[in-house]
């Protein structure tokens, strides 16, 4: 079979990681694909750079047409990021009958339905394994490996940058900003790192995971999103004293009332495997009816781990595996369900609360009275000594499960007490049992 020529839109961390894996493992990959796969051109903004010898065969170009309209190129890899012009160019590639492989979760989560519809028209593949959890083949696992199951819920550490920051803060007491700078230097972070630390990147990934798990259209706007920027070293230490780890978690759960979609910092019992997933590693725990719980673990970001997923997609596309066998979201398009998405106020979960209070009698009684009036039960209390010279103490509470709307009104009432200072820190708690 003739070699397959690949054009890359973007030649940064992911683009170069992909070309490196293709070049270094060329013989092994061609035995798998049935033909040679060659990364021949890469689109960049600035061609003034020196490439390693292994990538010297890749021609750097600045005109997208030289890839999108090149009849020799049959597979386009989108590794640029962002909404536009990535969406426009990807649709043009699809319109020109080229298969597309993308690592861009923002694009799939927001415009996937449009892109898949265009691909169905021209009969090409759009593959996106690298868009979720870097090097972990979790899209393939859920869409194909779990095809016999009804999925109940899934929970994942799906942003490598956030997990790296939380781990370094906990283990080495490092500052948030300092670790974020390192994550950027290592190529883990998004071009705009607020996407990582404010949970938007994880929300993009959760949108995709929920669609392939439950067979619903992509619904990014329905995801409740909180990042890690408010987590302090104190919260990390208090959580550990109570036997928990704080992880930034994406959760999708199917309930009788609808689907919960949420991304936020979460206290997880430290004995759970997923609580021990550290650094840039990601993990996705899927709970399904036939198989029970399964856990997928691996590098969540970085050049070659992500390149590994992109190359796997290219091999699938070249084998003709996807379009023939696997619908884009794993379920036949006409059967995608119109299941309602739950508002966050309807979600039931347990909570960690850190309250800064005056160190005086009666404060705890007031807090307990307000919680009891909303039927919120306290599971554990941790009360610390005030710092020398201060009259304020942190009070840490763990509650039992309660509807989030009830917790919102309890927090508002407690914050209005004269003996309470500032905002109450609230972190959700999941047992993941
Ligand atoms: P990156 O290192 O910043 O690389 C982006 C590349 O795209 C650069 O080569 C850049 O050109 C090129 N580019 C961007 N806009 C362009 C434009 N308008 N015209 C021409 N070229 C353009 O980004 P990355 O980390 O590889 O991420 C790329 C995508 O992969 C993103 O969607 C990201 O979310 C996703 N992803 C990243 C990782 C990771 O670990 N980094 C993992 C999974 C998925 P110049 O070099 O000339 O600036
Ligand atoms: N910025 C992303 C992360 C890249 O840190 O997880 C991988 O998708």
């Amino acid at each position: 079979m003739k070699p397959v020529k690949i054009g890359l839109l973007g030649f940064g961390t992911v683009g170069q990681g992909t070309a490196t894996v293709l070049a270094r493992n060329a013989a092994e990959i061609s035995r798998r694909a049935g033909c040679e796969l060659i990364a021949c051109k890469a689109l960049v903004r600035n061609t003034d750079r020196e490439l390693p010898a292994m990538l010297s065969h890749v021609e750097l170009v600045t005109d997208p047409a030289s890839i999108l309209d090149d009849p020799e190129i049959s597979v386009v890899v989108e590794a640029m990021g962002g909404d536009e012009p990535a969406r426009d160019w990807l649709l043009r590639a699809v319109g020109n009958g080229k298969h597309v492989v993308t690592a861009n979760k923002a694009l799939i989560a927001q415009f996937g339905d449009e892109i898949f519809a265009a691909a169905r028209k021209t009969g090409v593949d759009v593959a996106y394994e690298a868009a979720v959890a870097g090097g972990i083949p979790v899209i393939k696992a859920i869409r194909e490996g779990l095809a016999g199951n009804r999925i109940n819920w899934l929970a994942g550490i799906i942003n490598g940058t956030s997990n790296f920051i939380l781990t370094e803060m906990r283990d080495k007491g490092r500052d948030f900003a300092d670790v974020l700078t390192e994550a950027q230097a290592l190529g883990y972070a998004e071009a705009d790192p607020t996407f990582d630390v404010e949970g938007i990147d994880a929300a993009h990934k959760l949108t995709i995971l929920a669609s392939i798990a439950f067979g619903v259209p992509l619904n990014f706007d329905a995801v409740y999103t909180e990042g890690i920027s408010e987590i302090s070293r104190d919260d990390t230490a208090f959580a550990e004293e109570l036997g928990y780890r704080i992880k930034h978690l994406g959760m999708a759960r199917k309930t009788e009332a609808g689907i919960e979609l949420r991304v936020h910092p979460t206290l997880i019992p430290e004995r759970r495997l997923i609580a021990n997933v550290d650094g840039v590693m990601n993990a996705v725990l899927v709970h399904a009816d036939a198989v029970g719980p399964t856990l997928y673990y691996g590098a969540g970001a970085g050049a070659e781990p992500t390149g590994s997923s992109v190359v796997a997609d290219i091999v699938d596309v070249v084998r003709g595996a996807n379009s023939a066998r696997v619908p884009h979201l794993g379920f036949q398009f006409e059967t995608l369900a119109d299941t309602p998405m739950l508002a966050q106020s309807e979600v039931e979960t347990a909570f960690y609360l850190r309250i800064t209070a005056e160190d005086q009698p009666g404060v705890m009684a007031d807090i307990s009275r307000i919680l009891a009036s909303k039927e919120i039960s306290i599971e554990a209390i941790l009360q610390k000594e005030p710092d020398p010279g201060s009259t304020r103490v942190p009070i840490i509470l763990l509650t039992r499960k309660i509807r989030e709307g009830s917790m919102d009104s309890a927090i508002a009432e407690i914050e209005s007490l004269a003996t309470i200072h500032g905002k109450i820190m609230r972190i959700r708690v999941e047992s993941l049992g």
Side-chain angles (χ1 to χ4, degrees), residues 243-257:
Y244 291 84
R245 293 266 167 88
I246 300 179
K247 291 290 174 191
H248 190 251
L249 212 65
M251 288 213 61
R253 190 194 306 268
K254 196 165 182 188
T255 71
E256 279 184 12

Side-chain angles (χ1 to χ4, degrees), residues 217-271:
L218 295 153
N219 202 337
F220 171 64
D221 292 339
V223 185
Y224 172 82
T225 305
E226 252 181 50
I228 59 164
S229 58
E230 301 291 315
I231 301 290
S232 69
R233 270 184 281 188
D234 282 351
D235 291 319
T236 308
F238 294 146
E240 296 230 332
E241 266 188 66
L242 291 160
Y244 291 84
R245 293 266 167 88
I246 300 179
K247 291 290 174 191
H248 190 251
L249 212 65
M251 288 213 61
R253 190 194 306 268
K254 196 165 182 188
T255 71
E256 279 184 12
I259 293 174
E260 291 174 18
L261 284 180
R262 50 199 172 99
V263 161
H264 49 66
T266 310
L267 266 74
I268 305 171
E270 66 190 1
R271 64 182 182 281

Side-chain angles (χ1 to χ4, degrees), residues 317-357:
V317 158
V318 167
R319 286 169 173 159
N322 280 348
S323 54
R325 289 192 300 123
V326 191
H328 294 114
L329 292 175
F331 290 73
Q332 297 302 330
F333 168 69
E334 324 72 63
T335 69
L336 291 181
D338 192 15
T339 315
M341 303 290 152
L342 286 186
Q344 185 63 14
S345 57
E346 296 304 318
V347 166
E348 283 197 6
T349 179
F351 288 88
Y352 156 106
L353 304 179
R354 175 167 52 78
I355 305 171
T356 305

Side-chain angles (χ1 to χ4, degrees), residues 9-16 43-47 49 61-62 78-82 84-85 89 102-106 130-134 186-191 201 205 300-303 306:
L9 303 177
F11 209 49
T13 304
V14 176
Q16 292 197 35
L43 178 80
V44 289
R45 284 171 292 212
N46 172 15
T47 57
R49 70 187 76 191
V61 298
T62 54
E78 189 271 301
M80 284 166 44
E84 293 292 357
W89 293 350
T102 181
N104 189 338
K105 49 271 162 144
V132 180
L186 290 166
Y188 302 156
E190 295 302 299
D201 176 75
K205 294 165 177 166
T306 312

Side-chain angles (χ1 to χ4, degrees), residues 103 105 130-134 158-162 187-191 195-196 201 205 280 282 300-302 306:
K105 49 271 162 144
V132 180
I158 46 181
N159 183 266
T161 302
S162 295
Y188 302 156
E190 295 302 299
F195 275 54
D196 297 291
D201 176 75
K205 294 165 177 166
V280 74
N282 279 191
T306 312

Side-chain angles (χ1 to χ4, degrees), residues 157 159-172 174-176 178-186 188-189 228 247-248 277-282 301:
I157 295 173
N159 183 266
T161 302
S162 295
N163 203 39
F164 180 66
I165 293 172
L166 288 176
T167 306
E168 293 286 306
M169 281 170 65
R170 186 195 72 211
D171 291 354
K172 302 181 188 156
R174 291 178 63 192
D175 276 339
F176 186 101
D178 169 40
V179 192
L180 174 57
T181 305
E182 187 181 347
Q184 289 177 289
L186 290 166
Y188 302 156
I228 59 164
K247 291 290 174 191
H248 190 251
V277 170
D278 286 335
V280 74
M281 304 310 270
N282 279 191

